[in-house]
Amino acid sequence: NGDDDVTANYDITYVNGTLKVTKKVVTITANSDTKTYDGTAITLDTPSITVEGGGTFTGTPTYTYYQGTNCKGKTLDSAPSNAGTYSVKIHVSEGDTYDESESCISVTINPKEILVSNLVYQGTSKTYNENTNVSNDFAVSIGNSAGIINGDTVEVTYGSAAYNDADAGNNKNILVNNLTLTGDDANNYILSSNSQSTNGVINQAIVNVISNPSNNTYTGTSQTIGVTLPNHVELVSTGSTTEATNAGSYTAIYKLE
């Protein structure tokens, strides 16, 4: 019956056993993030951290930032603020009832766009010189309305610039090519285009025409009144004669085109 001691009938040997309690799995859910450069460090949304079976997460996640993707390569001391592609490892340490866990997400900071319409040009006028080259003091800079972040150093250079033709006139088209950003913070910005057209002026050149005085003796034949013209200027026609036969005083009027 229930009061009988049956152990006397057995030789009992005790063996130590092992009981393993598996800790619960922690799931980290976080979204990748993208922003446009504004001079401030990127800020992540708070990740969702759940414990298997409805357990409670009581720890604090840690964040490690990497230059590049897949949470590999160079680690950063803090959250990045410059334009580029980064990744973030979110790590949860082991707790009393749950195991450690980690997740890797991507983070992108896109360069801020500078519209070429916000560029400012200097030296857009010159005197006619038979070619389409801009003047030696032609220059381009970034206007105040471009939105450069305070404290950033960004400048712009150009590769070539030329008028659409060599003739004198106002509102002449100047095409500027190979616009490039330079400076310590240039990588945080991008131009909307690497070329732009702007307006300029080619002023008319002053031409000095020197008439050569001629005191000749009557010979009965036609004699020419000479004129000296600067280089690259051609005499097209005269308003009066440049030749005379009879004795007298004559004036030659020259027309240049």
Side-chain angles (χ1 to χ4, degrees):
N1 60 44
D3 295 330
D4 295 336
D5 182 7
V6 298
T7 59
N9 299 321
Y10 299 92
D11 182 11
I12 301 175
T13 300
Y14 294 94
V15 178
N16 292 330
T18 301
L19 174 64
K20 182 178 181 180
V21 179
T22 302
K23 291 188 175 183
K24 295 180 178 181
V25 175
V26 174
T27 301
I28 303 172
T29 303
N31 297 322
S32 298
D33 198 5
T34 299
K35 65 176 282 188
T36 298
Y37 172 77
D38 60 3
T40 64
I42 197 162
T43 303
L44 299 179
D45 294 334
T46 302
S48 171
I49 301 175
T50 57
V51 179
E52 180 184 19
T56 302
F57 172 70
T58 57
T60 301
T62 59
Y63 302 87
T64 304
Y65 294 87
Y66 294 83
Q67 181 80 51
T69 60
N70 301 321
C71 294
K72 297 179 181 179
K74 179 182 177 181
T75 58
L76 305 177
D77 294 333
S78 59
S81 59
N82 291 324
T85 300
Y86 307 91
S87 51
V88 185
K89 181 185 291 183
I90 305 173
H91 181 265
V92 171
S93 298
E94 181 180 6
D96 292 337
T97 60
Y98 52 80
D99 205 352
E100 69 174 349
S101 180
E102 63 184 26
S103 176
C104 181
I105 62 172
S106 62
V107 172
T108 302
I109 302 178
N110 293 317
K112 183 177 182 179
E113 185 178 60
I114 297 177
L115 299 177
V116 292
S117 58
N118 289 323
L119 300 182
V120 178
Y121 294 92
Q122 297 86 33
T124 56
S125 65
K126 72 168 190 174
T127 299
Y128 172 78
N129 61 355
E130 295 188 292
N131 64 54
T132 60
N133 298 337
V134 293
S135 64
N136 291 333
D137 59 349
F138 181 85
V140 57
S141 60
I142 300 174
N144 294 331
S145 59
I148 300 298
I149 302 300
N150 187 36
D152 281 358
T153 301
V154 187
E155 298 175 344
V156 61
T157 61
Y158 69 95
S160 64
Y163 291 88
N164 62 328
D165 62 58
D167 296 334
N170 297 318
N171 296 319
K172 305 285 295 186
N173 180 267
I174 301 175
L175 179 60
V176 185
N177 288 315
N178 298 324
L179 291 164
T180 304
L181 295 176
T182 61
D184 293 341
D185 302 292
N187 289 335
N188 290 322
Y189 299 86
I190 187 171
L191 286 169
S192 59
S193 174
N194 63 0
S195 64
Q196 188 192 21
S197 292
T198 189
N199 288 331
V201 176
I202 299 179
N203 297 309
Q204 292 178 325
I206 297 175
V207 177
N208 293 318
V209 179
I210 301 174
S211 180
N212 300 324
S214 180
N215 295 313
N216 297 334
T217 302
Y218 173 77
T219 62
T221 61
S222 176
Q223 300 186 57
T224 301
I225 301 174
V227 62
T228 300
L229 299 175
N231 293 335
H232 312 298
V233 176
E234 181 180 353
L235 178 64
V236 176
S237 64
T238 60
S240 182
T241 182
T242 59
E243 295 184 352
T245 302
N246 297 323
S249 297
Y250 298 88
T251 299
I253 301 174
Y254 300 93
K255 180 182 179 182
L256 302 176
E257 292 183 353

